[in-house]
Amino acid sequence: MTKRGQGRFALSCFTAALALGCSTSTKTSDARLAEGASAPAAAAAADTAAPGVNGGQAGSSAVVMSSPAGEALPGGLAVAPSSQASAAAGGAAGVAPDAASRDASSAAPAPAILGATPPMGWNSWNTFGCNVSEALIRSMADAMLSRGMRAAGYRYVNIDDCWMNGRDADGKLRWSDNFPTGMPALADYIHGLGLELGLYEVPADRTCASTYGGYAPGVGSLGHETDDANSFAEWGIDYLKYDLCRGQRSGFAVMRDALRATGRPILYSINPGNGQDDLCPPSSCALDLPSIANLWRIGFDIDTQWSSWLRLIDENANLYAFAGPGHFNDPDMLEIGRGASADEDRAHFSLWAIMAAPLLAGNDLRNMSAATQAILTNAEVIAVDQDPLGIQGRVVATPAANLQVWSKPLSGTNARAVVLFNRSAASADINVQWTALGLPGGAATVRDLWSHSDLGSFTGSYTAQAVASHGVVMLKVAALPAGPS
Ligand code: GLA
């Protein structure tokens, strides 16, 4: 649906700091990839954890992270020593979600902060719009298991707009008749599968689908934040998508505080933009986004067109400094399996992964093709997205018009994820130089994350031959230690 712009609600961080605990230091201390610095120190420091976006408790637990100790990052960039303190103390930290402990089949330790890595899951909007129901959500949750999504790391099952049905006499939100057994029972079902349940609301009187799509029962949370956050917590909700949609930007911190007051860890995802003409990316938003939410939309809605994917990639490309464990840029949900070519779908997934973006599938998981399933569950690409350093990759070279080299530092020493991205209309060779990745110029091993094969050891650079139009080659490059001199 098309939305008209609306004047920005200018809330200064100073004002917010008085009323809402906005951290004025977050933006600067979270400039984790500060130009010119050279001493990464990505580990430790987080056992000073401060209250989180929601439900966080001071000093709850340490963030355990690998450090690429002593290595240079691309282009002379570095992880600032304050970055982890920022991730923990900048307001986006929270205690581990209880669903982690519900997940009996996972041997991994519970994450120490809420949303330490980008959330993975599914959302109803892209395919189903307002046609949401309990039956749909239950069947999609079942498909999360049967189609290998849960095993690949996807956890959230998010019901977007149109689940609500006004308010009762006490002002409490009601779920629609399409959810006959109700949200608590649905949450129990979802949790029983080792999954988590998300809902949608807005800091406005009416939801987006009510304002633009005629969904009359779509009431918003403005002025009802405490009641609604309590309802979400009572129902067992684990994730809230809070979408401005002509609402009030000041309402994002109000809902953050209301969620926090419930004591339930609820991942907080916001869209601070109004339509296409009034975006609010962290580089220019009057809100201090990392202190408010675990993730924030950086652009207008994605659709199934390649051009919209490029638009969001380009809008997100220079926002890498604002991402970190517990707080990520959100270039919107995935459109994989919704009509694009396999090359384009692989490119979409690769770019979202190297940008440390949330991986929220938007297709119908129940009937997706084996090819779509293979893309969405590629463990090696997902590992790039979920790398515990939480660094958003960036463009480090542009060998020719419409050819890009993206790089993302990974845990471990001198390891990089690399996407060689062909945006052009013809296939092309794409070369990557180790120096562009901030690696020593000697030998490095190269692994192809789509063919799942080790390509060998290469000195100084690697050239991928005939990268498909609108396609990628995605690599892991790991420099070999220099031999004795
Ligand atoms: C906005 C959001 C979408 C979706 C719809 C629901 O357009 O950007 O992601 O949530 O509202 O109405």
Side-chain angles (χ1 to χ4, degrees):
M1 59 190 69
T2 305
K3 292 179 279 191
R4 282 178 288 119
Q6 173 181 290
R8 169 176 296 165
F9 187 101
L11 176 72
S12 76
C13 201
F14 175 72
T15 310
L18 295 178
L20 307 166
C22 166
S23 164
T24 53
S25 67
T26 302
K27 275 185 177 172
T28 49
S29 67
D30 197 42
R32 354 191 11 253
L33 301 175
E35 293 287 349
S38 64
D47 43 359
T48 54
V53 165
N54 50 70
Q57 293 170 358
S60 54
S61 50
V63 175
V64 179
M65 305 182 76
S66 308
S67 169
E71 58 169 300
L73 295 181
L77 303 177
V79 178
S82 60
S83 65
Q84 293 315 306
S86 168
V95 295
D98 58 356
S101 53
R102 283 194 294 266
D103 182 3
S105 70
S106 170
I113 62 174
L114 189 60
T117 58
M120 296 175 61
W122 175 87
N123 176 291
S124 56
W125 184 254
N126 286 356
T127 294
F128 298 96
C130 261
N131 297 316
V132 290
S133 67
E134 180 175 333
L136 173 77
I137 300 304
R138 285 179 183 249
S139 66
M140 207 61 66
D142 293 343
M144 289 272 281
L145 272 66
S146 64
R147 302 306 306 270
M149 296 290 283
R150 184 184 174 286
Y154 294 85
R155 287 291 179 274
Y156 293 102
V157 178
N158 292 345
I159 312 171
D160 209 280
D161 208 339
C162 307
W163 61 266
M164 66 292 284
N165 182 21
R167 296 183 179 277
D168 67 16
D170 297 327
K172 295 276 175 85
L173 274 174
R174 289 189 306 217
W175 51 78
S176 101
D177 293 344
N178 288 340
F179 294 82
T181 71
M183 286 301 166
L186 180 56
D188 282 349
Y189 182 77
I190 298 282
H191 294 158
L193 297 177
L195 301 170
E196 309 194 45
L197 182 59
L199 287 181
Y200 168 100
E201 257 297 354
V202 296
D205 294 331
R206 304 166 65 195
T207 71
C208 230
S210 174
T211 298
Y212 296 106
Y215 182 70
V219 294
S221 289
L222 186 68
H224 298 269
E225 290 86 355
T226 298
D227 272 351
D228 292 358
N230 286 337
S231 291
F232 300 149
E234 285 164 16
W235 299 346
I237 301 304
D238 307 294
Y239 183 119
L240 178 66
K241 173 176 173 179
Y242 210 47
D243 180 22
L244 183 58
C245 208
R246 299 184 69 189
Q248 297 187 8
R249 286 202 171 101
S250 58
F252 289 117
V254 178
M255 182 55 91
R256 172 201 60 188
D257 293 344
L259 293 172
R260 180 185 291 171
T262 69
R264 181 178 179 82
I266 299 176
L267 197 88
Y268 190 32
S269 158
I270 67 172
N271 179 4
N274 255 329
Q276 312 185 55
D277 305 326
D278 184 18
L279 301 176
C280 208
S283 50
S284 60
C285 191
L287 299 177
D288 185 15
L289 299 172
S291 76
I292 291 177
N294 297 108
L295 54 152
W296 49 85
R297 287 270 298 278
I298 54 90
F300 183 60
D301 296 15
I302 198 167
D303 59 41
T304 55
Q305 299 301 305
W306 175 249
S307 58
S308 83
W309 305 359
L310 290 183
R311 165 176 59 81
L312 288 158
I313 291 165
D314 291 342
E315 287 173 347
N316 201 25
N318 289 322
L319 300 176
Y320 52 86
F322 298 95
H327 47 100
F328 292 97
N329 293 303
D330 176 5
D332 210 353
M333 302 171 289
L334 299 170
E335 292 281 15
I336 290 160
R338 304 240 311 129
S341 70
D343 283 325
E344 290 180 337
D345 276 356
R346 276 191 292 270
H348 183 3
F349 201 58
S350 301
L351 267 296
W352 261 237
I354 205 160
M355 295 191 300
L359 299 180
L360 296 170
N363 57 317
D364 188 341
L365 305 175
R366 301 168 302 182
N367 57 20
M368 66 178 161
S369 69
T372 294
Q373 180 180 6
I375 292 171
L376 287 172
T377 60
N378 182 327
E380 294 193 76
V381 175
I382 289 171
V384 171
D385 182 76
Q386 296 291 302
D387 186 273
L389 291 180
I391 295 174
Q392 176 173 327
R394 67 183 188 94
V395 177
V396 296
T398 305
N402 287 318
L403 302 181
Q404 292 179 327
V405 178
W406 287 72
S407 171
K408 170 176 154 78
L410 300 175
S411 303
T413 303
N414 284 332
R416 303 283 183 269
V418 173
V419 170
L420 306 175
F421 185 23
N422 182 1
R423 304 163 60 128
S424 77
S427 68
D429 296 351
I430 305 181
N431 170 267
V432 50
Q433 299 280 329
W434 294 174
T435 50
L437 306 177
L439 296 177
T445 59
V446 177
R447 181 169 174 80
D448 187 315
L449 304 187
W450 283 109
S451 70
H452 305 294
S453 56
D454 291 326
L455 302 181
S457 173
F458 297 82
T459 300
S461 72
Y462 174 78
T463 299
Q465 312 275 335
V467 180
S469 164
H470 293 192
V472 295
V473 165
M474 188 165 186
L475 307 170
K476 180 174 180 179
V477 179
L480 294 168
S485 53

